[in-house]
Amino acid sequence: DHQAQLLVAAASMMAEARFSLIIVDSATSLYRSEFNGRGELSVRQIHLGRFLRSLQRLAEEFGVAIVVTNQVVAANLDGGGGMFAGPSIKAIGGNIMAHGTTTRLWFKKGRGENRVCKIISSPCLAERDAQFAIGNDGVLDCKE
């Protein structure tokens, strides 16, 4: 409910002034803490779906970009699959998060100050990696 209230407040702010970007840090965090266990999974997913749809409406109505960060969990926890089972991590939120977003990126730490950004899923971008560095001057070209 708190996140929904924040979206209402954001909409009223955007009605009065021009904004270009909304950043939601750890979209699933509150849902994971408020809805525990598999018994509440469907209720959690319904709430998360409504939240993501509200974000989409804000993007469409006010022409803003939305960036959502998310948590990941170790995949293949059942021990099956072996070495060809796919990625060793997966996003929290399941298909609701997957279908509620347009372009999904995965960031990971490289060597030193270097980082890697991989396009996981996008309707208009091919899957590929980009490397960059983070330093005192902000985002920089990758350091070899």
Side-chain angles (χ1 to χ4, degrees), residues 110-115 131-144:
R111 290 188 181 136
E113 297 174 347
N114 293 343
R115 304 293 186 268
Q131 294 189 23
F132 60 96
I134 299 176
N136 292 334
D137 296 327
V139 178
L140 311 166
D141 288 336
C142 188
K143 297 179 180 179
E144 297 301 323

Side-chain angles (χ1 to χ4, degrees), residues 1-6 27-41 43-45 47-48 71:
D1 291 334
H2 179 66
Q3 282 181 309
Q5 293 170 357
L6 290 174
T28 57
S29 175
L30 284 176
Y31 294 104
R32 292 185 75 199
S33 63
E34 289 182 13
F35 300 99
N36 296 316
R38 292 197 184 270
E40 296 181 338
L41 181 61
V43 175
R44 178 178 80 186
Q45 295 301 85
H47 278 263
L48 181 58
Q71 299 172 333

Side-chain angles (χ1 to χ4, degrees), residues 12 14 37 49 53 58 87 91 97-98 101 103 109-110 123 127 133 135 138 144:
S12 66
M14 287 186 281
R53 183 62 195 129
L58 284 177
M97 282 299 291
T101 56
T103 298
K109 188 172 181 337
E127 186 175 308
E144 297 301 323

Side-chain angles (χ1 to χ4, degrees), residues 19 22 40 45 67 72 80 84 101 106 111 118 127 132:
F19 290 85
I22 296 175
E40 296 181 338
Q45 295 301 85
V67 173
V72 295
F84 300 108
T101 56
W106 177 43
R111 290 188 181 136
K118 181 176 184 173
E127 186 175 308
F132 60 96

Side-chain angles (χ1 to χ4, degrees), residues 56-78:
Q56 289 172 339
R57 278 192 224 109
L58 284 177
E60 293 165 2
E61 183 175 344
F62 295 103
V64 296
I66 309 284
V67 173
V68 177
T69 68
N70 193 19
Q71 299 172 333
V72 295
V73 67
N76 307 325
L77 293 175
D78 59 0

